[in-house]
């Protein structure tokens, strides 16, 4: 008689991989579309009227001091202790800039940011039970994310880490999700703060499943993020933070939500916007009819509550419709400010980074559900078509810019002539501020001469003459300074310089 054979132990099904090559390829294709024109043109990916020049300046002085950790620079007044909002990528890009140049390093981060958003979006879409293709394309082309890329808000470029962290948590990878979420703080405190709330919701919903491991994951995320927040202790405590009520105002560029909060009409109003010569940041909260329609197909999911909460907070203090103040305050903001550090938000439309991520996850579910109505066999086909329609709608009808605009990186020729003047002299610039002159440009142009600037990035005004300095005048200011000081020491077609003795 044969001996009884023991039945095999049940084997837990293998978890689906968090990353997929297909979504990586989609990210690379989208990055080529969005950032490629800037690379070909030789400029910086982003708008010359936003904060590209200021953030590119930070990356430049980080490269000048590399491999030192970026914590401030002596090359500008009041910047010796300057906590960088995205220190980890700034440090890496500083090293890269030493090899390929500052402009190429800037564009590389924009390119990688799009790829990371696609990879994270694909993982999040699948973790929500939906199409990875919809998740990848939807997150990488979220109008609010494209607004951050256009505006040069480098602290938002790594938003794909938040999507990856939430995907990991949803699929039971607690420690990985916690590490990714904590690490996102080193790329931007906004990212970690936004990601913390859905992470807490996921943990609370699954707390009965090994609560000790969820607690350990939470402690890990805090332990990783806390050192990144430490340099901002004073700011987080409210010191030096802009506070108080900001009066409502008429906003002609309301589709881009450049001022403090989102216009109610901007959530659904299509149409491209010509900013002209305005210096504005862009935060388009356009949701997309394709994305909303697919999300509705997916039925109810707790993520809908997050979408609605973000949409309620995004308008900020005052409600407006199509650029016109409605004379009503936002009742949701008083509840929002009960959250830790919520009062530190300067622009409430930025919470839609999280809101649109959750909406894309819901849309991914809807696409898969729609495919299931045909027996499920055509799910990849349906997801691919849905992703394509989302991209087309964003590119043609949303206020977001596709591809990204290009900020020229050429600097005035007069700065090259400063090499003929004494090397130990700092520089003060006249014609660096005023109507039609970007207040951050004088700092960006510093990389053409490398001398200390007698300017404060916190108060961008014209420089004043100082003994032992070099006074530079740009454009129309040359004639005025020549009348005051006589012939310049060096002159070029776009400016002149004087030694101040």
């Amino acid at each position: 008689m044969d001996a009884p054979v023991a039945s095999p132990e049940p084997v837990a099904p293998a978890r689906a991989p968090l990353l997929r090559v297909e979504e990586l390829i989609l990210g690379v294709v989208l990055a080529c579309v969005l950032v490629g024109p800037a690379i070909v043109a030789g400029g910086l990916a982003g708008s010359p009227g936003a904060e590209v020049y200021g953030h590119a300046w930070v990356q430049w002085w980080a490269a000048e001091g590399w491999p030192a950790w970026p914590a401030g620079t002596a090359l500008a007044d009041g910047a010796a202790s300057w906590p960088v909002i995205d220190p980890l990528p700034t440090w890496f890009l500083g090293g890269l800039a030493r090899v390929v140049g500052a402009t190429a390093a800037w564009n590389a981060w924009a390119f990688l940011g799009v790829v990371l958003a696609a990879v994270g979006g694909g993982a999040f879409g699948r973790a929500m039970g939906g199409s990875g293709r919809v998740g990848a394309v939807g997150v990488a082309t979220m109008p609010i994310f494209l607004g951050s890329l256009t505006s040069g808000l480098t602290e938002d470029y790594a938003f794909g880490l938040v999507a990856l962290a939430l995907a990991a948590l949803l699929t039971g990878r607690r420690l990985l999700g916690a590490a990714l979420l904590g690490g996102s703080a080193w790329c931007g405190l906004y990212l970690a703060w936004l990601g913390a709330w859905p992470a807490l919701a996921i943990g609370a919903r699954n707390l009965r499943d090994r609560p000790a491991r969820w607690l350990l994951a939470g402690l890990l995320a805090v332990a990783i993020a806390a050192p990144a927040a430490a340099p901002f202790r004073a700011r987080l405590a409210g010191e030096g933070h802009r506070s108080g009520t900001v009066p409502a105002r008429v906003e002609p560029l309301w589709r881009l939500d450049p001022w403090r909060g989102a216009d109610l009409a901007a959530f659904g109003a299509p149409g491209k916007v010509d900013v002209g010569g305005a210096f504005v940041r862009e935060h388009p909260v356009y949701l997309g009819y394709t994305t909303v329609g697919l999300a509705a197909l997916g039925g109810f999911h707790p993520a809908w509550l997050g979408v609605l909460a973000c949409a309620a907070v995004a308008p900020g203090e005052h409600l407006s419709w199509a650029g016109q103040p409605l004379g009503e305050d936002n009742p949701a903001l008083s509840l929002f400010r009960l959250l830790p550090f919520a009062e530190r938000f300067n622009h409430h439309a930025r919470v839609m980074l999280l809101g649109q991520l959750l909406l894309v996850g819901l849309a991914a579910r809807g696409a898969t559900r729609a495919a299931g109505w045909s027996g499920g066999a055509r799910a990849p086909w349906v997801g691919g078509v849905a992703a394509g329609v989302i991209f087309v709608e964003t590119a043609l009808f949303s206020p977001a810019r596709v591809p990204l605009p290009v900020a020229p990186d050429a600097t005035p020729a007069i700065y090259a002539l400063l090499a003929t003047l004494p090397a130990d002299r700092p520089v003060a610039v006249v014609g660096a501020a005023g109507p039609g002159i970007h207040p951050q440009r004088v700092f960006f142009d510093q990389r053409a001469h490398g001398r200390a600037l007698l300017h404060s990035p916190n108060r961008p005004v014209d420089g004043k003459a100082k003994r032992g300095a070099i006074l530079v005048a740009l454009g129309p200011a040359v004639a005025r300074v020549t009348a005051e000081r006589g012939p310049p020491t060096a002159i070029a077609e776009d400016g002149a310089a004087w030694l101040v003795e």
Side-chain angles (χ1 to χ4, degrees):
M1 181 175 179
D2 294 337
V5 178
S7 59
E9 292 292 329
V11 179
R15 283 184 294 192
L18 193 63
L19 306 179
R20 284 189 177 174
V21 174
E22 176 189 21
E23 291 150 13
L24 174 63
I25 295 173
L26 274 174
V28 171
V29 172
L30 290 171
C32 289
V33 172
L34 292 168
V35 185
I39 296 174
V40 172
L44 302 163
S47 169
E51 295 193 8
V52 168
Y53 291 129
H55 285 248
W57 172 69
V58 172
Q59 291 184 8
W60 169 79
W61 60 250
E64 290 295 292
W66 199 86
W69 189 252
T73 179
L75 294 174
D77 288 349
S81 178
W82 185 283
V84 178
I85 194 65
D86 52 345
L88 186 60
T90 298
W91 186 83
F92 277 108
L93 293 171
L96 181 62
R98 300 289 289 265
V99 178
V100 301
T103 295
W106 173 274
N107 289 333
W109 184 217
F111 192 99
L112 289 174
V114 175
V115 175
L116 182 59
V119 170
F124 182 67
R126 286 183 284 107
M128 288 281 287
S131 164
R133 294 178 180 180
V134 169
V137 175
V139 173
T141 61
M142 293 189 311
I144 191 74
F145 178 65
L146 296 181
S148 292
L149 294 173
T150 296
S151 301
L153 302 179
T154 53
E155 65 268 33
D156 293 344
Y157 284 24
F159 185 69
L161 282 181
V162 175
L164 270 177
L166 297 181
L169 293 174
L170 284 169
T171 54
R173 300 170 170 92
R174 302 172 187 83
L175 296 183
L176 175 60
L180 290 170
L181 186 58
S184 70
W186 292 88
C187 302
L189 294 183
Y190 273 117
L191 302 184
W193 191 91
L194 288 172
W197 302 110
L200 285 171
I202 294 169
R205 191 180 184 189
N206 298 279
L207 194 58
R208 293 182 181 179
D209 176 23
R210 300 179 179 179
R213 293 193 180 186
W214 282 106
L215 178 60
L216 178 62
L219 292 175
L220 176 63
V222 172
I224 295 174
F232 298 90
R233 290 188 299 269
R235 182 69 180 271
L236 293 174
E239 297 178 20
H241 181 78
R242 290 175 288 175
S243 59
T245 300
V246 177
R249 52 179 277 179
V250 175
E251 178 52 66
L253 301 176
W254 55 271
R255 282 184 174 86
L256 297 176
D257 306 308
W259 181 251
R260 304 288 282 187
D263 191 283
L264 293 176
F267 287 99
K272 297 298 181 181
V273 180
D274 181 7
V275 299
F279 297 146
V280 294
R281 301 195 319 185
E282 301 179 20
H283 304 87
V285 297
Y286 180 78
L287 300 178
Y289 290 96
T290 306
T291 306
V292 172
L294 287 170
L297 289 178
F300 177 76
H301 185 280
W304 274 113
L305 301 178
V307 175
L308 295 176
C310 292
V313 170
E317 294 180 71
H318 309 292
L319 302 180
S320 297
W321 181 267
Q324 300 296 322
L326 296 178
E328 299 289 341
D329 293 337
N330 184 0
L333 213 58
S334 58
L335 294 175
F336 175 70
R337 286 173 172 166
L338 296 177
L339 300 177
F341 310 119
E343 290 190 356
R344 306 297 172 259
F345 264 74
N346 286 326
H347 201 303
H348 293 91
R350 291 180 78 176
V351 301
M352 285 308 295
L353 277 168
L354 175 60
Q356 290 189 359
L357 170 65
L358 297 177
L359 186 65
V360 169
L362 293 168
R365 292 178 75 249
T368 296
R369 187 175 185 182
W373 293 337
S374 62
R378 298 167 64 189
W381 180 82
V382 173
V385 170
V389 175
I390 288 174
F391 174 78
V392 170
E393 181 182 0
T394 301
L396 299 183
F397 302 106
S398 83
R401 302 210 224 176
V402 178
L404 299 179
V406 181
D409 69 344
T411 54
I414 183 59
Y415 289 130
L417 299 182
L418 300 189
T420 64
L421 304 181
D424 59 342
R425 303 287 184 98
V427 171
V429 182
V430 178
I437 302 172
H438 198 292
Q440 297 175 349
R441 188 62 193 260
V442 66
F443 299 99
F444 173 79
D445 289 340
Q446 187 181 31
R447 67 183 193 171
H449 56 80
R451 298 169 181 263
L453 277 174
L454 300 178
H455 294 256
S456 169
N458 291 319
R459 296 183 65 252
V461 296
D462 274 351
K464 295 183 179 180
K466 179 181 179 181
R467 181 176 298 177
I470 297 172
L471 184 64
V472 172
L474 299 175
V478 172
R480 173 164 55 87
V481 178
T482 300
E484 295 172 355
R485 294 189 166 271
T489 309
I491 189 168
E493 65 271 17
D494 51 18
W498 290 259
L499 287 174
V500 181
E501 305 293 355

